[in-house]
Amino acid sequence: MIQNIVITSMKEQHPNYHGNGYISLAIVYAVFALSNWLAPSIIIAIGPKVSMLLGGISYSLFIANFFFAETWALYLASTIIGFGASLFWTGQGNFLTINSDSDTMSRNSGVFWALLQCSLLFGNIFVYFKFQGKSEIDKETRFVVFGVLLGVSLAGLALMCCLRSSKRRSVTVTENSSSSPESSSTVITEFKKAVFLLKTKKMFLLAITFLYTGFELSFFSGVYGTCIGFTKRFGSDAAKYVGISGICIGAGEIIGGAVFGLLGKKTNKYGRDPVILLGYVFHMVTFFLVFINLPAKAPLHETMQPAFINSSVALAMFCAFGLGFGDACYNTQIYSILGSIYSEDSAPAFALFKFFQSIAAAIAFFYSSALELPYQLFILVIFGTLGTFTFWMVEWSEYSKLAKEKAVEAKYKK
């Protein structure tokens, strides 16, 4: 969220530094996308816990690169974290699934999501106070902010060592009885699983939803904060509001994760589709409000350009909450549906989710360096509408399948 604004200040302080925050993030997600094809095989070989540890180390290295005003260091670190993130996120999805069952999957995914998003609260409260009154992020401020982030990431790595090592592993769902347990754990087999899942109708439809989460991920995690920091009608130190917007996004994420995760049994009683509908409505309203509240050129550079209305900080913070809450609606239900449909094949399923999500994020970060705000919002509206309908199609198909199984079971008991 703060990367592009920090890098802009670094370029002013160091004439030989030519890093670009959007390009860096595009590299992260492009490498992330490609690496997700290898991640399930690596996780089968070394386990989800070790995979998450290796991925966590790459995050620490990425944070550390901001102590050096070197363009090559930024892009090298972006490449490393892209690969590490594939191990981290796919391993996390696998670890969550193998330590859950059908009754606890929604609850556990919601708890995970709420805890994850707490970083947006604590991190951005810290950033708000450090960026307050600064029109430019000086070297001392940068060192303090990234020093604290590095310390927290290293502490997280230490705590991750305390996670239990599960004995259960993902197994194939292709129902190929000729496959032995040994052969199903090979690198080639795991790669074939991902390819097999990709060819199925359900995964193909869900891929559209995954793409949308990638586009909106890039928007709320990188573009929106940059827009606020570059909108100088909010004041010369508008960068401080990036921290507040992050807090509001985090609040939306945490509330959404808590409501649809901790109360998963009650919300899932009516299916996942109403939650997705709520997320869709939140996002569409939010995109419209962002459109009228922020200048068209805000993603690209600092501007005093007027918006359709007088740019309001309060409205910008409300929109930040809407982005976070809508994102939580989509992600908690995606985790839930993947954990339910692919409970015995979670590693390749989550890898495909992250593949499509990160491909979309990479594309979005590339075009964010050139497209004005209205065009970016238009793309979000199109994919949001398509992704919502495709998710519903899969959910309704699963509901129908479960209803038929229950009917057959009831008939058999009679």
Side-chain angles (χ1 to χ4, degrees):
M1 289 182 173
I2 64 173
Q3 179 176 337
N4 207 36
I5 291 173
V6 169
I7 287 176
T8 299
S9 295
M10 288 173 68
K11 287 194 286 189
E12 293 177 1
Q13 297 157 12
H14 305 277
N16 294 326
Y17 184 68
H18 305 292
N20 184 296
Y22 287 142
I23 300 301
S24 165
L25 290 167
I27 292 172
V28 169
Y29 283 99
V31 176
F32 185 14
L34 296 174
S35 300
N36 270 307
W37 288 98
L38 300 174
S41 304
I42 297 173
I43 289 164
I44 285 295
I46 64 177
K49 179 178 175 179
V50 176
S51 298
M52 289 189 289
L53 282 167
L54 292 175
I57 291 171
S58 73
Y59 277 77
S60 297
L61 290 174
F62 182 76
I63 294 170
N65 105 85
F66 286 95
F67 294 112
F68 310 96
E70 298 288 346
T71 307
W72 65 267
L74 173 66
Y75 295 139
L76 176 61
S78 300
T79 304
I80 293 172
I81 195 179
F83 177 73
S86 68
L87 296 181
F88 194 91
W89 281 96
T90 306
Q92 172 271 316
N94 183 232
F95 187 86
L96 182 68
T97 301
I98 63 180
N99 287 285
S100 307
D101 55 36
S102 58
D103 293 326
T104 61
M105 187 64 199
S106 290
R107 181 201 67 189
N108 291 350
S109 61
V111 170
F112 154 73
W113 196 253
L115 289 172
L116 168 69
Q117 302 307 330
C118 282
S119 63
L120 290 172
L121 294 183
F122 302 128
N124 283 294
I125 289 173
F126 175 61
V127 166
Y128 170 74
F129 286 109
K130 293 304 297 181
F131 283 10
Q132 195 168 21
K134 297 182 181 293
S135 57
E136 180 183 293
I137 311 306
D138 56 77
K139 183 178 179 180
E140 181 184 354
T141 301
R142 171 163 50 94
F143 272 48
V144 170
V145 169
F146 285 96
V148 169
L149 292 177
L150 181 60
V152 171
S153 73
L154 293 175
L157 280 172
L159 288 172
M160 205 178 293
C161 295
C162 301
L163 292 174
R164 67 183 181 185
S165 298
S166 178
K167 295 180 181 179
R168 181 183 162 203
R169 295 230 178 163
S170 293
V171 295
T172 183
V173 293
T174 57
E175 298 182 359
N176 185 354
S177 58
S178 63
S179 297
S180 65
E182 290 78 16
S183 65
S184 67
S185 297
T186 64
V187 171
I188 296 176
T189 302
E190 287 304 302
F191 180 79
K192 286 181 177 178
K193 284 183 189 178
V195 175
F196 172 81
L197 290 180
L198 183 58
K199 292 179 180 179
T200 62
K201 181 181 178 181
K202 288 179 182 178
M203 185 57 74
F204 180 79
L205 291 171
L206 286 173
I208 307 299
T209 312
F210 301 161
L211 287 172
Y212 172 62
T213 64
F215 285 121
E216 56 100 1
L217 166 68
S218 67
F219 186 76
F220 82 76
S221 67
V223 177
Y224 190 65
T226 300
C227 289
I228 291 175
F230 282 169
T231 301
K232 292 308 174 183
R233 286 179 177 267
F234 290 153
S236 60
D237 61 345
K240 69 181 181 183
Y241 294 120
V242 177
I244 299 297
S245 70
I247 294 170
C248 293
I249 290 172
E253 295 276 14
I254 292 168
I255 291 173
V259 171
F260 305 122
L262 296 177
L263 303 179
K265 285 187 177 180
K266 293 184 178 180
T267 54
N268 283 352
K269 180 180 180 181
Y270 304 101
R272 301 179 185 90
D273 40 327
V275 180
I276 291 292
L277 176 61
L278 180 63
Y280 175 76
V281 171
F282 254 87
H283 270 177
M284 294 305 114
V285 171
T286 298
F287 295 152
F288 174 74
L289 294 177
V290 170
F291 172 70
I292 63 174
N293 189 49
L294 297 180
K297 297 185 182 298
L300 307 177
H301 52 73
E302 295 181 353
T303 179
M304 285 293 291
Q305 179 188 24
F308 285 92
I309 62 174
N310 290 328
S311 296
S312 165
V313 172
L315 184 57
M317 298 308 113
F318 174 80
C319 291
F321 176 86
L323 290 172
F325 185 82
D327 182 67
C329 290
Y330 280 95
N331 276 280
T332 55
Q333 302 315 296
I334 287 173
Y335 270 82
S336 179
I337 200 170
L338 289 181
S340 298
I341 297 178
Y342 306 107
S343 60
E344 296 300 318
D345 220 1
S346 60
F350 280 100
L352 286 172
F353 166 38
K354 287 299 173 182
F355 168 74
F356 284 106
Q357 185 183 64
S358 50
I359 274 287
I363 293 170
F365 279 121
F366 270 118
Y367 70 58
S368 294
S369 61
L371 290 184
E372 293 185 352
L373 184 60
Y375 299 105
Q376 296 192 39
L377 293 171
F378 179 72
I379 293 172
L380 289 170
V381 170
I382 295 298
F383 275 90
T385 302
L386 292 175
T388 298
F389 275 104
T390 55
F391 185 96
W392 284 345
M393 291 172 69
V394 176
E395 173 68 6
W396 294 336
S397 173
E398 278 298 294
Y399 183 82
S400 176
K401 177 184 174 182
L402 290 174
K404 288 180 181 179
E405 289 177 353
K406 287 181 180 179
V408 171
E409 185 179 338
K411 185 178 180 180
Y412 178 76
K413 287 181 178 179
K414 288 181 180 180

